[in-house]
Amino acid sequence: MFYLRIFFIIYLVTFQVCANSIPQFSFQDQYENKIETKNLIGKPSILLGCEKEDIDLCRKIGRKIFWKLQNLLWKDSSKVKFIAYLNLKESNKLIEKYISESKEKQFESIYFDRKGELSLGLKSERVYLRIFNSKGNEIFNSHIEVITDEQI
């Protein structure tokens, strides 16, 4: 019975670590820059995910977080990776047109999850914010509709 309890505890701890580690993905942004999980190891990382309908909300909240990050870290801001992404597993012509036009407007990079690799946890009309430490372990996650400067 003792060994069964030990096995169960080890199983729970292992599952918890795996469930909260940085997920595997490979994305491209509208400028065809590529980002993969392996590029994030060794750096604190922020993943900000949205459904395709929420691109404006994603940009609005993403800009606030990125701006605050730049101001708080100043010289060290390049040591933190900030990745905003859209779930585009079920894209359409209107969305593709918007993406194409955004290249000319020089918007900030937003990565495209065309395979639905990080679609788990996304909610409509909310952004999914996850923060990982330099070892790739999740240290924070939240679904956000609105964000104030104080919350950041």
Side-chain angles (χ1 to χ4, degrees):
M1 188 65 160
F2 174 75
Y3 293 111
L4 185 59
R5 287 183 185 166
I6 296 295
F7 176 76
F8 184 70
I9 291 169
I10 291 171
Y11 173 78
L12 286 178
V13 169
T14 303
F15 179 74
Q16 185 68 19
V17 169
C18 291
N20 292 328
S21 60
I22 196 159
Q24 296 294 313
F25 65 88
S26 178
F27 299 156
Q28 274 191 328
D29 68 4
Q30 71 269 35
Y31 307 110
E32 299 180 12
N33 297 316
K34 190 174 183 178
I35 188 87
E36 297 178 358
T37 305
K38 68 181 180 182
N39 303 118
L40 306 179
I41 303 303
K43 295 182 180 183
S45 303
I46 300 171
L47 295 180
L48 185 76
C50 305
E51 292 291 358
K52 62 184 173 290
E53 308 83 36
D54 302 319
I55 189 167
D56 291 329
L57 179 66
C58 199
R59 286 191 191 281
K60 182 179 177 182
I61 291 176
R63 283 179 183 140
K64 283 185 177 184
I65 293 170
F66 188 74
W67 178 82
K68 193 69 149 185
L69 182 70
Q70 294 290 330
N71 286 317
L72 289 175
L73 297 177
W74 195 46
K75 292 181 182 178
D76 295 327
S77 63
S78 63
K79 294 180 182 177
V80 177
K81 293 298 281 182
F82 181 85
I83 295 97
Y85 67 93
L86 289 175
N87 178 17
L88 291 185
K89 187 174 182 182
E90 297 178 16
S91 186
N92 59 43
K93 288 181 182 180
L94 185 62
I95 292 168
E96 295 301 326
K97 182 181 177 194
Y98 180 85
I99 290 168
S100 178
E101 290 172 355
S102 73
K103 289 179 185 179
E104 298 166 10
K105 296 179 182 178
Q106 297 184 353
F107 283 141
E108 62 281 339
S109 289
I110 189 158
Y111 291 89
F112 307 127
D113 183 1
R114 295 194 180 275
K115 298 176 189 173
E117 295 173 274
L118 299 186
S119 62
L120 188 65
L122 295 180
K123 294 182 180 180
S124 185
E125 299 180 15
R126 287 175 172 72
V127 298
Y128 187 30
L129 176 66
R130 293 181 282 175
I131 302 174
F132 299 88
N133 65 18
S134 60
K135 294 180 182 177
N137 298 319
E138 186 176 84
I139 56 175
F140 178 83
N141 79 53
S142 180
H143 290 92
I144 303 169
E145 288 180 79
V146 180
I147 195 162
T148 65
D149 290 340
E150 292 78 31
Q151 289 172 313
I152 297 172

